[in-house]
Amino acid sequence: MANHDPALDRLFQALADPTRRAVLERLTQGPATVGELAAPFAMALPSLIGHLRKLEAAGLIETRKDGRVRTCAVRPEALTPVQGWLDVQ
């Protein structure tokens, strides 16, 4: 795997932030609404949504909307490129 893979860069950038890692850790327990994900953080909802967008852009989470409720779920297969990169290092 190339060291300059844009998809790999997006994954590492998404994982670089402790808030995003905490969100991913929570989502390993199962899907959660944006409100549930926001509860433990002392930040404005738009700030948390920005973190969720970065996670989604990196392919680490997926979201679905049902009415006014957005639910997020982790996509563990998205870490496969990171594992592939680590295996060749």
Side-chain angles (χ1 to χ4, degrees), residues 60-84:
L60 291 165
I61 67 169
E62 60 188 7
T63 64
R64 75 174 193 286
K65 191 170 182 182
D66 185 22
R68 296 182 65 182
V69 177
R70 184 168 297 278
T71 302
C72 303
V74 71
R75 296 185 63 239
E77 70 275 7
L79 291 172
T80 301
V82 173
Q83 187 60 52

Side-chain angles (χ1 to χ4, degrees):
M1 178 170 289
N3 283 333
H4 301 290
D5 181 358
L8 193 58
D9 291 344
R10 278 190 301 275
L11 285 168
F12 279 116
Q13 287 170 354
L15 293 170
D17 185 86
T19 299
R20 292 192 285 269
R21 289 192 307 270
V23 167
L24 283 174
E25 184 176 344
R26 164 52 189 89
L27 290 174
T28 61
Q29 299 169 18
T33 66
V34 171
E36 291 168 338
L37 293 172
F41 300 103
M43 69 175 64
L45 190 57
S47 296
L48 183 75
I49 290 171
H51 286 294
L52 296 176
R53 285 184 179 141
K54 288 181 181 169
L55 290 169
E56 192 169 24
L60 291 165
I61 67 169
E62 60 188 7
T63 64
R64 75 174 193 286
K65 191 170 182 182
D66 185 22
R68 296 182 65 182
V69 177
R70 184 168 297 278
T71 302
C72 303
V74 71
R75 296 185 63 239
E77 70 275 7
L79 291 172
T80 301
V82 173
Q83 187 60 52
W85 180 81
L86 290 170
D87 287 345
V88 299
Q89 298 309 313

